[in-house]
Amino acid sequence: MKGGTGSFLCVLLISTITSVVCFRDGMLPNGDFELGPKPSDMKGTQVLNKNAIPSWELTGFVEYIKSGQKQGDMLLVVPAGKFAVRLGNEASIKQRLNVTKGMYYSLTFSAARTCAQDERLNISVAPDSGIIPIQTVYSSSGWDLYAWAFQAESNVAEIVIHNPGEEEDPACGPLIDGVAIKALYPPRPTNKNILKNGGFEEGPYLLPNSTTGVLIPPFIEDDHSPLPAWMIESLKAVKYVDVEHFSVPQGRRAIELVAGKESAIAQVARTIIGKTYVLSFAVGDANNACEGSMIVEAFAGRDTLKVPYESKGKGGFKRASLRFVAVSTRTRVMFYSTFYAMRSDDFSSLCGPVIDDVKLLSVRKA
């Protein structure tokens, strides 16, 4: 594998003839499901043959869905391309990848719930697994991008996306599309920042044609964060946004706190008791019609700071800093948004303030 941006990854395709394909960070082979089953492998929308969808192995009740297809009064929409898959009760899709043992990887995928209310997905690469709830819809389209990370325990990783639900209607399962992967390179602290990945430049893969950002679930949902060095200490997700589609205060990536106090990120830093430190950061909006009065609350050990920000929803940011004296050898730095917010252009997409360029430095006493 080549390190850095655009690293190569090999995939072991599941078919009657085993072959190995190498590709760059990005979409898995047929990760967008545009290559579909033959008509002879279908019964209505249900896929009958476990190897009918190229590059994937299916288990249970899996449907091949075309964009615009109707289910009762519901119109099923696909975020990109023309096709997606739907996982029924206890159904799963899987693909095997050649990876580098010991390295960290992040999966990105699109998911949408259909007629079930409490839908969730079980993502696993043995021995890691995590349950991702998708009942909260963050965007007006109904589709959200999620990230989940794992550490490779061997040179082959079997990625499984499974619906653990048990609905009366087996067709009431989540829709899946756009499955991608990216190698993660855990950052280290520097003499310019005690915190690691303070600019959020290292994170999950962002689909080039997606304009929604990527949701990073709470850290309790996975053992390894798709946002290296940071924990998602909340009941709801935070959103990873890029400069190509959003306003970002510094660099190319930032975090949007999209669920009020239920959307928080944290990192534990090594500090020296009695020493003075300054926590500095940028607060802004993502230029996504998220308007109104916002407040970001910052915490460093026992000290707190509330930073108000008046958003016009058109981009912009301000800088703030919190000076404190360490009372422990480990200091928890945390951020969350005081209020919930909705985008003014659709009133159904959750949004919030953006934070970026987070730095922690020690200072000499006057």
Side-chain angles (χ1 to χ4, degrees):
M1 174 179 286
K2 292 182 180 180
T5 304
S7 59
F8 287 97
L9 197 65
C10 296
V11 61
L12 182 66
L13 300 183
I14 301 168
S15 62
T16 54
I17 301 176
T18 299
S19 60
V20 177
V21 178
C22 291
F23 64 100
R24 297 178 184 271
D25 287 349
M27 198 78 73
L28 294 186
N30 200 26
D32 55 6
F33 303 102
E34 293 302 293
L35 299 177
K38 300 175 183 177
S40 59
D41 288 326
M42 301 273 292
K43 181 180 181 181
T45 58
Q46 184 182 0
V47 184
L48 301 177
N49 185 337
K50 71 175 185 177
N51 299 124
I53 297 179
S55 304
W56 293 94
E57 183 178 316
L58 318 179
T59 303
F61 188 89
V62 176
E63 294 178 278
Y64 191 62
I65 302 296
K66 184 176 182 179
S67 185
Q69 185 174 313
K70 286 190 174 182
Q71 179 181 345
D73 296 330
M74 184 186 302
L75 185 68
L76 302 178
V77 179
V78 174
K82 296 181 180 179
F83 297 96
V85 296
R86 179 160 55 184
L87 304 181
N89 292 337
E90 297 293 344
S92 65
I93 54 173
K94 68 180 178 181
Q95 192 172 124
R96 293 187 180 95
L97 303 173
N98 281 355
V99 292
T100 301
K101 183 179 179 180
M103 278 203 66
Y104 293 90
Y105 298 89
S106 177
L107 294 173
T108 298
F109 60 93
S110 293
R113 76 181 205 197
T114 51
C115 38
Q117 293 300 308
D118 189 26
E119 286 184 9
R120 52 205 173 99
L121 288 167
N122 184 7
I123 316 298
S124 64
V125 175
D128 296 329
S129 66
I131 297 291
I132 297 180
I134 60 172
Q135 67 265 33
T136 299
V137 180
Y138 293 83
S139 62
S140 58
S141 69
W143 283 90
D144 287 306
L145 275 170
Y146 291 88
W148 181 81
F150 66 94
Q151 184 179 21
E153 293 289 323
S154 69
N155 292 324
V156 177
E158 185 174 83
I159 296 169
V160 181
I161 302 177
H162 171 242
N163 172 24
E166 296 181 358
E167 296 293 325
E168 290 185 13
D169 184 350
C172 274
L175 291 160
I176 306 295
D177 197 16
V179 187
I181 194 167
K182 179 177 179 286
L184 295 175
Y185 298 90
R188 299 178 181 276
T190 67
N191 59 1
K192 296 181 180 180
N193 196 355
I194 298 172
L195 294 175
K196 294 176 284 187
N197 200 20
F200 309 112
E201 296 301 299
E202 186 69 20
Y205 185 76
L206 287 146
L207 301 183
N209 297 325
S210 173
T211 60
T212 62
V214 178
L215 294 170
I216 302 177
F219 82 102
I220 55 171
E221 304 298 342
D222 54 48
D223 292 330
H224 311 292
S225 174
L227 189 65
W230 292 94
M231 299 174 286
I232 315 304
E233 291 203 328
S234 50
L235 296 173
K236 297 288 193 294
V238 302
K239 183 172 283 189
Y240 191 60
V241 297
D242 61 338
V243 72
E244 286 80 9
H245 302 100
F246 299 88
S247 178
V248 172
Q250 178 83 18
R252 304 185 61 80
R253 305 288 186 262
I255 289 294
E256 185 182 11
L257 303 172
V258 291
K261 292 183 178 180
E262 291 187 294
S263 191
I265 65 167
Q267 185 175 149
V268 177
R270 293 181 181 274
T271 49
I272 298 172
I273 296 173
K275 199 170 184 62
T276 302
Y277 295 85
V278 172
L279 174 67
S280 62
F281 53 96
V283 174
D285 70 275
N287 188 23
N288 59 350
C290 195
E291 302 175 7
S293 299
M294 302 177 180
I295 295 178
V296 169
E297 297 189 42
F299 300 80
R302 298 175 182 174
D303 295 87
T304 64
L305 175 69
K306 292 186 177 182
V307 182
Y309 179 77
E310 288 295 328
S311 173
K312 296 181 180 178
K314 298 180 180 180
F317 66 93
K318 64 188 287 188
R319 295 193 178 273
S321 62
L322 170 61
R323 188 184 183 99
F324 68 96
V325 176
V327 295
S328 172
T329 55
R330 291 179 176 270
T331 298
R332 183 178 298 274
V333 172
M334 185 173 71
F335 298 90
Y336 64 64
S337 172
T338 304
F339 307 121
Y340 276 91
M342 291 282 188
R343 285 175 48 169
S344 61
D345 57 352
D346 65 20
F347 297 105
S348 60
S349 294
L350 288 169
C351 65
V354 164
I355 62 167
D356 197 7
D357 197 23
V358 184
K359 292 179 180 177
L360 180 65
L361 290 171
S362 62
V363 296
R364 293 179 180 177
K365 292 183 179 179

